[in-house]
Every structure is written in structure tokens, then in C-alpha cells.
Amino acid sequence: MSTWPIGVFTSIDDGLGVHLDVVKELQIPTVHLHCPLPENRTEDHAKAYLDKAADAGFEASVLFSGFAGETYESIQRTAETVGIVPEGLRDARAAEYRTVSDFAKHIGCGVVGMHVGFVPGRDTDSYKNLIEVTQTLLDYVKDNGQNMHLETGQESAEHLLEFIGDVDRDNLFINFDPANMILYGTGDPIDALKKVGHLVRSIHCKDATWAAEDVRGTEWGAEVPLGEGDVGMETYLRTLKELGYEGPLTIEREIAHDPVRQKADIGTAVSLLEELRAKIG
Ligand code: MG
């Protein structure tokens, strides 16, 4: 594939991301896929998906997990419900994640992605256990011939690097989402990208505006159409180029409740990225 192919975040059956028909209509060649519901992670569903993807002309480069009970309604609720950090859910979700890795294998996708959750402080028992659980999971993922990409945003670049270093597995990398750094208030996205860039193997093109300074980190910033937020898309792409990143530019727009607007925003985002790619690339 050529450098910086345009991609979108989409899903098979859970209503997240851009509808598969829109992916086809816009002739998008590459997608990040949200995994199907647990009951649909079968070889038959994988075959059905692959037929659709072949017909539309796209391939999935990352399959992202999602768990029942996760909610992003506030930063606090996200911390309580997302990923394998919540202690009461950790073991069950780590076990369930194996079915995500297996489904990725069924569709021939060599990368699985995850919001691990808000990584706790390094001196806690929860952190030590999280390291062990993540290591076991990564070994399973490796047996399936896959790498894992962690989504950024829920911790600072420094803490993410500490965590990845402590996990100490050669199949753990980063999916960089600049808007999440702003939405969660965890740090300037370009500074963060420079710090973790050596581990970035996939990215999201998403934009956001900061929350007011006095509530940053406790209240959400606002996700906005690409190019209208505080990321600075040109600087973002120039920084990716400096880092030698050549993979897909995967657009993520989290307004699945409004498909008409979502489709329009994706169209505008594709144009913006094509323009910047021509200018910078
Ligand atoms: Mg993202």
C-alpha cells in the first residue's frame, strides 16, 4: 500500500464508527474495525465480513476490542468501566479479549487494539497485577501471530511509556490518538507524539478542543470535525512524517448517532487529509 492511505474507523454490528456502506461509497481502502459482539466472533461471521470487505475494496489493519458495560459518558465513568483496568472485571475481560484476538486471526488481521483503561500508579498492587495480566494476554496474542496497539489518551505519554516498558513484551505498540490527549486532558498531543513516536504503529485522525483549564482532566473536552479543533492537523502530519510513520491515516468521528452528519464530516476529513498529504508527503 502507498504511504498514508486514508482510513476510517468502522464496525461490523455494534453501530460504532462509519457504516460499512459509507466506507464503500467513499472508496476508503483501509479501516480500523471495532470487533463484533461476542456471539458474532465466529468463523462464519468472519467469512461474511471478508466477503463484504472484498466487495467494497477495503482491508482492516487493526481490530479494536470493546466490552459490554463500557461507557464514556464522563471521564470518571470511563475510568470506572473501560478496559481491563477495573479490578472486578479484569480477569473476565482479559479472557474475553482472547476471542477478539481469535476473530482478528479469522479475518487475517495482524493487529489487535485496546483501550487498556486508566493505568493505575506504578506503586500499587493493581498496577503489578495489571502488568501480569497484560503479559499473559500479549503472549496469547503473539501465539496468534499478532501485535497489540494500545490507544492513547487515558494516561500521560510518560506513564504510558512506563507501563509498556514494565510489560516488557516485543509485540506491544501504540495507536496514537491526538484528540484523546486533549479530551482527557493528559497532555499536548504533539509533545506526547514526539515522546512515544518510536512505538507508534497506527494512528487516529481525530480532533478536539480542550476543556476549560480549571476542569481539564475531570471534564471532557469536545470532539469536533477534523481540522476544527486544537490538534493542528498539519503539525500532526508533519510530526508523523518526521517520525517516519507511513501507515494509514485513520479518521475517527464519534457521532454514530448522527449518520448524515457523520458521513458529511468524514467526506470533509478525507479531503483535508488528501490536501495535507499532497502538501507534506
Ligand atoms: Mg481513537
Side-chain angles (χ1 to χ4, degrees), residues 11 14-19 223 253-263:
S11 66
D14 61 3
L16 278 177
V18 182
H19 198 277
E223 198 229 333
R253 182 75 174 111
E254 297 180 343
I255 50 167
H257 57 278
D258 188 349
V260 174
R261 168 122 190 255
Q262 189 187 50
K263 186 179 165 186

Side-chain angles (χ1 to χ4, degrees), residues 49-69:
Y49 158 78
L50 285 172
D51 287 345
K52 250 189 215 173
D55 170 59
F58 64 82
E59 278 183 17
S61 60
V62 185
L63 180 73
F64 276 89
S65 65
F67 299 107

Side-chain angles (χ1 to χ4, degrees), residues 18-28 259 263 266:
V18 182
H19 198 277
L20 285 178
D21 292 343
V22 176
V23 179
K24 181 179 180 180
E25 192 182 324
L26 296 175
Q27 295 183 297
I28 304 280
K263 186 179 165 186
I266 296 286

Side-chain angles (χ1 to χ4, degrees), residues 95-117:
E96 189 194 319
Y97 194 88
R98 294 177 174 218
T99 67
V100 177
S101 173
D102 291 345
F103 188 79
K105 194 177 177 185
H106 295 328
I107 63 167
C109 181
V111 181
V112 285
M114 172 156 70
H115 269 296
V116 71

Side-chain angles (χ1 to χ4, degrees), residues 9 64 115 151 175 177 180 204 206 252 254:
F9 195 98
F64 276 89
H115 269 296
E151 176 92 356
N175 179 74
D177 186 324
N180 282 353
H204 286 160
K206 190 169 89 186
E252 190 178 22
E254 297 180 343

Side-chain angles (χ1 to χ4, degrees), residues 52-259:
K52 250 189 215 173
D55 170 59
F58 64 82
E59 278 183 17
S61 60
V62 185
L63 180 73
F64 276 89
S65 65
F67 299 107
E70 290 184 325
T71 171
Y72 292 85
E73 67 194 31
S74 66
I75 291 181
Q76 181 60 30
R77 291 291 291 146
T78 304
E80 289 164 1
T81 64
V82 168
I84 59 168
V85 168
E87 289 181 54
L89 302 166
R90 187 174 295 171
D91 290 339
R93 284 185 172 175
E96 189 194 319
Y97 194 88
R98 294 177 174 218
T99 67
V100 177
S101 173
D102 291 345
F103 188 79
K105 194 177 177 185
H106 295 328
I107 63 167
C109 181
V111 181
V112 285
M114 172 156 70
H115 269 296
V116 71
F118 283 65
V119 176
R122 211 177 185 187
D123 53 352
T124 60
D125 288 341
S126 180
Y127 182 84
K128 288 176 191 116
N129 175 259
L130 183 65
I131 296 292
E132 286 167 21
V133 169
T134 308
Q135 286 171 332
T136 305
L137 194 49
L138 280 164
D139 295 342
Y140 185 88
V141 165
K142 187 162 187 169
D143 284 344
N144 270 342
Q146 297 157 345
N147 290 338
M148 185 192 287
H149 294 185
L150 293 183
E151 176 92 356
T152 55
Q154 295 168 341
E155 43 283 314
S156 66
E158 291 80 3
H159 196 32
L160 186 64
L161 286 176
E162 263 176 6
F163 176 69
I164 291 174
D166 289 339
V167 171
D168 193 26
R169 287 293 185 273
D170 63 5
N171 61 332
L172 183 57
F173 297 97
I174 289 171
N175 179 74
F176 192 83
D177 186 324
N180 282 353
M181 306 302 297
I182 292 173
L183 289 166
Y184 289 93
T186 40
D188 177 81
I190 305 301
D191 287 349
L193 177 58
K194 287 176 181 167
K195 285 176 188 149
V196 304
H198 58 293
L199 292 170
V200 170
R201 293 288 179 91
S202 60
I203 63 144
H204 286 160
C205 289
K206 190 169 89 186
D207 215 341
T209 53
W210 295 98
E213 213 155 334
D214 55 330
V215 294
R216 202 169 285 172
T218 53
E219 282 182 26
W220 285 125
E223 198 229 333
V224 297
L226 203 70
E228 295 181 18
D230 293 327
V231 170
M233 275 304 134
E234 182 163 346
T235 309
Y236 180 48
L237 294 194
R238 286 190 187 282
T239 307
L240 287 166
K241 189 178 182 189
E242 280 165 26
L243 291 164
Y245 178 81
E246 295 186 342
L249 306 178
T250 304
I251 300 160
E252 190 178 22
R253 182 75 174 111
E254 297 180 343
I255 50 167
H257 57 278
D258 188 349

